[in-house]
Amino acid sequence: MGGNCSALFGTGEYILAPHFRKNWTNWREFRGDHSTDFEVHRNWLAITHNLPVSQWYYEATSEWTLDYPPFFAWFEYALSHVAKYFDQEMLVIQNLNYSSPATVFFQRLSVIFTDILFVYAVHECCRCVNGKQAGKDILEKPMFVLAVLLLWNFGLLIIDHIHFQYNGFLFGLMLLSVARIFQKRHLEGAFLFAVLLHFKHIYIYVAPAYGVYLLRSYCFTANMADGSLKWSSFSFLRITLLGLIICLVSALSLGPFAVLGQLPQVISRLFPFKRGLCHAYWAPNFWALYNAVDKTLAFAGLKYKFLDPEKIPKASMTGGLVQEFQHTVLPSVTPLATLICTFISILPSVFCLWFKPQGPRGFLRCLILCSLSSFMFGWHVHEKAILLAILPLSLLSVESPKYAGIYLILTTTGHFSLFPLLFTPPEIPVKILLMLLFTVYCFSSLRALFRKAGPLLNWLETIYLIHLVPLEIFCEIVFPLTAWKLKFPFIPLLLTSVYCALGIIYAWLKLYISVLTEFVTVRQKAD
């Protein structure tokens, strides 16, 4: 299968994805467009290039302070030594919002270059795909479909190559780690994930899946006849090796700051709880629904005079975009409350993984559920974090019609929720066209892959997804023409977040029910 996959990656179809990204990037560079994240990373280049390590996590000339783990800071440091050959001025800390053509070109080029790791990780993941459904036509082979779903992923394309970030490089590390787990190269998988955590700490969402699986299926080397754990098979050597990997990577990353006595400062930058429950606009999760209910109750309270207008913070009622506010009617949510909710929500998936691991695919299902559960209930969740579930779910979607249906719901809804990231008039038709192309391919390719399994979605799921179309028409065309635009500017974001939250929560619950049902079935067979 590895040879076939290598051959697939040599065909013109696969080369189209990287070339499309590059061409689109060049067009954006010509226009000179860039998001806030462009300035964030330019500032980090300047900080790491000019200041000693001891000042990296204290520098605050710009509001976009360094708030990623040390490995990413060193990554920016390495890039800065290439950046100086493009434009030295971008490396001046005081040059806030500096965006010369050479600077924009370098930033865009660096994303394309680091995507090489993502392409390699996709290649490795394709080698792990179960090929039972493989057809005669190369276009209907699970490996080909998976490669397109990952390389052409709409969300990753707009976030990295239009909005601007380095998620492709980071997801490359994660997917490569998952591939190594599938290939039973557990120590490599653990090492790659440990490195990933010290590049971007958001991946701590899926750490429980790694920890439980490696302990259960690597440190314990045998099971009983009924599949239960054989405690006497515990390997002290294996857990020592895992511990050494984690400690060495952590020491390399955090050691210099520990020596400098700066660990509390680094941690305060990585976990800024003062930023509030929700991000700049509400990620489509449980708290989006919670916020919407609070706003609805507040409006009703004002209308029927149950609430005193003088006691309601103005920002919480009219802004909709503020990062931190107190709820008006419902109890305000604390970081501890979100942590407890997240912990409770991932427990069933971790429980299943421990008692019935079901191999690497059981690990992958747990990883996806951990990422979705953290997305549902986490503190200050970024809307872009939905990709942490969409990308790994792609691997399961080409192996089972059950997971293909869940994938279609999650990816369509999750990608639509990213639309507000691209809000300028020229970007509207582009984002719609790109998502339409990707979504049509998802539905057509997965339907062809499982043509004998019947419809992948039921009528209710289909109606829900179809209604994303009138929602987009209202938000982008109708609402800007109404008088509400000035008084209630947050309405389009609220509607998008709330409607998408319903779909994502549904996909999460459907996946959870599927995993738990399968777990019960396996236990019954074992008994």
Side-chain angles (χ1 to χ4, degrees):
M1 186 175 291
N4 292 336
C5 189
S6 298
L8 283 172
F9 268 77
T11 61
E13 290 88 349
Y14 279 100
I15 297 175
L16 285 176
H19 275 274
F20 177 83
R21 289 183 175 187
K22 185 174 181 180
N23 290 337
W24 170 249
T25 299
N26 289 340
W27 183 75
R28 289 273 302 184
E29 186 273 329
F30 175 77
R31 289 176 56 208
D33 292 350
H34 52 272
S35 67
T36 301
D37 280 313
F38 174 90
E39 171 59 18
V40 171
H41 289 280
R42 185 215 61 80
N43 184 54
W44 293 358
L45 287 172
I47 289 174
T48 55
H49 186 80
N50 292 287
L51 299 178
V53 176
S54 60
Q55 296 181 34
W56 284 1
Y57 287 93
Y58 285 93
E59 164 58 35
T61 300
S62 168
E63 62 179 309
W64 311 116
T65 54
L66 181 59
D67 58 4
Y68 273 26
F71 277 178
F72 200 92
W74 286 108
F75 170 71
E76 294 279 6
Y77 173 79
L79 287 179
S80 72
H81 285 276
V82 180
K84 64 184 180 184
Y85 295 106
F86 287 77
D87 187 346
Q88 285 272 9
E89 293 300 311
M90 80 170 86
L91 301 176
V92 177
I93 296 176
Q94 289 71 26
N95 279 353
L96 303 183
N97 299 310
Y98 184 77
S99 58
S100 68
T103 302
V104 176
F105 177 74
F106 167 76
Q107 294 281 59
R108 298 292 187 187
L109 188 63
S110 65
V111 174
I112 295 174
F113 178 77
T114 55
D115 264 2
I116 293 173
L117 178 62
F118 181 72
V119 174
Y120 174 68
V122 171
H123 171 270
E124 291 299 295
C125 285
C126 286
R127 297 175 59 191
C128 305
V129 169
N130 187 336
K132 291 181 181 179
Q133 302 91 358
K136 295 180 180 180
D137 189 348
I138 188 176
L139 299 179
E140 295 184 8
K141 289 183 178 292
M143 289 184 295
F144 181 90
V145 175
L146 175 60
V148 176
L149 294 182
L150 291 173
L151 291 175
W152 273 82
N153 182 270
F154 167 77
L156 196 56
L157 173 64
I158 67 168
I159 290 175
D160 274 16
H161 297 274
I162 301 179
H163 185 72
F164 184 79
Q165 279 188 357
Y166 292 95
N167 290 290
F169 165 68
L170 298 171
F171 277 118
L173 278 172
M174 188 187 81
L175 291 178
L176 188 57
S177 173
V178 169
R180 294 297 181 249
I181 295 292
F182 269 74
Q183 295 161 3
K184 300 191 182 302
R185 295 157 66 173
H186 298 94
L187 291 180
E188 288 183 51
F191 171 76
L192 288 168
F193 182 69
V195 170
L196 176 62
L197 275 181
H198 288 276
F199 265 100
K200 192 170 183 178
H201 50 302
I202 191 176
Y203 292 94
I204 199 171
Y205 288 169
V206 299
Y210 276 90
V212 171
Y213 182 77
L214 288 171
L215 180 61
R216 175 65 173 82
S217 300
Y218 176 70
C219 294
F220 287 94
T221 59
N223 294 323
M224 303 293 285
D226 61 354
S228 60
L229 183 63
K230 187 175 182 180
W231 291 95
S232 61
S233 68
F234 182 76
S235 171
F236 286 98
L237 174 62
R238 291 190 173 190
I239 198 170
T240 300
L241 291 174
L242 282 176
L244 282 175
I245 288 174
I246 295 170
C247 291
L248 288 175
V249 172
S250 300
L252 186 61
S253 171
L254 301 174
F257 301 95
V259 172
L260 293 168
Q262 295 182 357
L263 273 184
Q265 174 65 16
V266 174
I267 293 173
S268 69
R269 283 285 184 89
L270 299 185
F271 300 98
F273 292 114
K274 293 182 179 180
R275 288 186 178 179
L277 174 64
C278 295
H279 192 227
Y281 80 79
W282 304 343
N285 59 11
F286 175 81
W287 303 122
L289 300 182
Y290 190 88
N291 291 345
V293 170
D294 182 72
K295 279 188 175 290
T296 302
L297 292 175
F299 276 116
L302 288 174
K303 182 177 180 179
Y304 295 104
K305 303 184 189 278
F306 294 133
L307 297 176
D308 183 358
E310 299 298 326
K311 296 181 180 180
I312 297 179
K314 185 176 180 181
S316 71
M317 293 305 302
T318 61
L321 303 179
V322 291
Q323 292 186 338
E324 185 175 10
F325 66 88
Q326 296 295 313
H327 289 92
T328 306
V329 180
L330 298 177
S332 293
V333 181
T334 64
L336 179 60
T338 64
L339 178 62
I340 293 173
C341 290
T342 302
F343 178 74
I344 293 174
S345 66
I346 69 172
L347 271 183
S349 62
V350 172
F351 179 88
C352 294
L353 185 62
W354 177 264
F355 287 98
K356 289 294 177 184
Q358 300 182 55
R361 282 167 181 79
F363 156 73
L364 184 58
R365 288 191 288 267
C366 182
L367 182 150
I368 297 166
L369 285 172
C370 283
S371 63
L372 275 176
S373 299
S374 300
F375 183 84
M376 284 293 105
F377 300 104
W379 178 266
H380 196 72
V381 173
H382 288 233
E383 64 286 343
K384 293 162 279 192
I386 191 61
L387 294 181
L388 193 53
I390 290 176
L391 290 176
L393 184 57
S394 304
L395 277 71
L396 295 179
S397 72
V398 299
E399 293 190 344
S400 164
K402 173 176 59 180
Y403 295 119
I406 297 172
Y407 173 82
L408 291 175
I409 299 170
L410 183 65
T411 192
T412 305
T413 310
H415 285 163
F416 184 87
S417 72
L418 299 176
F419 267 26
L421 289 175
L422 306 179
F423 52 85
T424 63
E427 290 172 329
I428 293 175
V430 174
K431 69 182 180 183
I432 292 175
L433 177 60
L434 289 177
M435 180 170 173
L436 185 62
L437 288 172
F438 181 77
T439 304
V440 168
Y441 178 79
C442 288
F443 276 81
S444 60
S445 62
L446 292 176
R447 186 172 56 190
L449 203 58
F450 304 108
R451 57 169 58 93
K452 296 180 180 179
L456 298 178
L457 302 177
N458 61 41
W459 65 271
L460 188 61
E461 294 164 347
T462 302
I463 290 175
Y464 169 81
L465 294 180
I466 290 175
H467 276 82
L468 290 171
V469 176
L471 176 60
E472 174 64 7
I473 293 174
F474 175 80
C475 291
E476 300 288 5
I477 300 175
V478 177
F479 182 80
L481 301 177
T482 67
W484 293 348
K485 181 179 180 181
L486 296 178
K487 191 174 182 181
F488 304 113
F490 61 87
I491 289 294
L493 295 179
L494 185 149
L495 291 177
T496 300
S497 295
V498 169
Y499 192 79
C500 291
L502 294 174
I504 292 174
I505 290 174
Y506 174 82
W508 172 64
L509 291 174
K510 189 172 184 179
L511 179 60
Y512 235 133
I513 292 172
S514 173
V515 170
L516 293 176
T517 303
E518 191 170 334
F519 171 75
V520 172
T521 303
V522 171
R523 284 188 66 87
Q524 288 176 345
K525 288 181 179 179
D527 294 338

